[in-house]
Amino acid sequence: MLSDQFPKVLLLDVSAVSDLPDDFYKHYHTHMFCLSGNIKFMLNNDTMQCNGGDFLFWFAQSQLLQIQTSNDFKASVLLVEKQLLDDNVPNVGYAVNALLHSRVNPIKIIQNKKVQQKIISNFKVVNQRYLNKTHKFYEEALSLQLKLFVLEMWNTFANEYESKKHTRQTNAIYEGFITLLHKHSMQQREVQFYSNQLHITPKYLNQICKSISDLTASAWIQRYVRERLIILLEDKSLNISEIADEMEFSSRSFFTRYAKKILGVTPTEYRDRLS
């Protein structure tokens, strides 16, 4: 634990890890804006690199290893004692998801110069509020400033968080669709069936598949059905009616029309070509 003689907030200009307090990451939440060069480290067994123009956040007591900086590394670093910041995280619905996201994605790429300047300015404001201990309402003012600082950080990275969250959700839907296709494509050939299983609209399912794979859900269904139909037609032990029954077509004529649509020829013509 930090004793009272240790500052609970520190703003530092650093050019090497040695410029930071000993064991800083055990006691402080670290907010770093990399001005130039880079800093490399291992976090949760992953090797990461923060470059000039990037923002970096390390939770206190993170399992950090092999921290190295380049010769031209420079950064502005705001350290906030763990308990002080933990006690002043705003109690809003966004909090849990934002904190979990930051643990997995500690590096944020900042390309907008105004946003970069705003981050550094926020560092200075927090530090100044901490140092102004003559304020009659010091504890209350510092608490409010820290809450505002966290909200400003969340606001800055909200788009990046929402984008990654959206990507995870759409990937999960797409993977669920493909899994359902493996299981049901022999009998289920309508997008509506799969969208119902995934609790979304057919239009949205088509959009997700198109954005990820360049094929709509309809195209994927036809691709799966085509592959399985070819396998069945190449099995001479099955007649055309048996294949139609296995694929649960209501009639052989309907099956023939569908097969011609996806194969370009009727089932009988396809078999004749095999001969």
Side-chain angles (χ1 to χ4, degrees), residues 19 57 74 76 83 92 182-183 199 215 220-221 243:
D19 293 333
F57 178 71
K74 292 186 182 301
S76 179
Q83 197 60 53
V92 296
H182 280 290
K183 185 176 181 180
H199 309 293
L215 291 175
W220 271 114
I221 293 169
I243 295 173

Side-chain angles (χ1 to χ4, degrees), residues 93-207:
Y94 191 81
V96 174
N97 288 335
L99 293 172
L100 290 173
H101 178 71
S102 293
R103 287 190 183 278
V104 179
N105 303 279
I107 299 171
K108 317 294 183 186
I109 299 173
I110 311 295
Q111 296 178 329
N112 188 303
K113 294 293 184 183
K114 289 184 178 180
V115 174
Q116 294 176 356
Q117 293 169 359
K118 179 67 173 176
I119 290 172
I120 295 174
S121 175
N122 287 338
F123 286 5
K124 293 178 180 177
V125 170
V126 171
N127 188 55
Q128 288 167 357
R129 175 58 62 196
Y130 170 73
L131 293 174
N132 186 14
K133 297 185 178 181
T134 60
H135 194 288
K136 290 185 179 295
F137 305 98
Y138 175 75
E139 298 291 342
E140 293 82 356
L142 178 59
S143 175
L144 289 172
Q145 190 65 63
L146 286 168
K147 287 183 171 66
L148 181 58
F149 170 71
V150 173
L151 290 172
E152 288 285 358
M153 291 295 98
W154 287 352
N155 178 65
T156 298
F157 305 122
N159 289 338
E160 183 257 1
Y161 165 68
E162 293 296 338
S163 175
K164 290 192 175 181
K165 178 183 176 184
H166 179 71
T167 299
R168 289 195 300 271
Q169 289 174 337
T170 55
N171 283 344
I173 291 172
Y174 175 74
E175 290 169 5
F177 168 64
I178 296 299
T179 299
L180 289 170
L181 267 181
H182 280 290
K183 185 176 181 180
H184 299 290
S185 60
M186 285 291 288
Q187 291 79 35
Q188 301 295 339
R189 294 170 289 276
E190 299 296 330
V191 177
Q192 183 76 57
F193 169 81
Y194 298 97
S195 64
N196 286 346
Q197 296 293 310
L198 297 165
H199 309 293
I200 57 176
T201 66
K203 181 179 179 181
Y204 186 45
L205 179 55
N206 271 317
Q207 288 175 345

Side-chain angles (χ1 to χ4, degrees), residues 211-250:
S211 67
I212 292 175
S213 68
D214 288 331
L215 291 175
T216 62
S218 301
W220 271 114
I221 293 169
Q222 285 198 10
R223 174 176 287 190
Y224 267 69
V225 174
R226 186 177 187 277
E227 290 174 353
R228 282 152 179 74
L229 178 55
I230 287 173
I231 292 172
L232 292 174
L233 288 171
E234 290 177 349
D235 182 356
K236 296 296 182 66
S237 67
L238 297 171
N239 62 44
I240 301 298
S241 293
E242 288 173 331
I243 295 173
D245 289 341
E246 185 168 342
M247 297 183 71
E248 296 186 1
F249 279 91
S250 57

Side-chain angles (χ1 to χ4, degrees), residues 18 73 75 84 103 194 203 217 231 239 260 263 266:
S18 57
F73 172 73
L84 177 62
R103 287 190 183 278
Y194 298 97
K203 181 179 179 181
I231 292 172
N239 62 44
K260 186 172 183 178
L263 294 176
T266 67

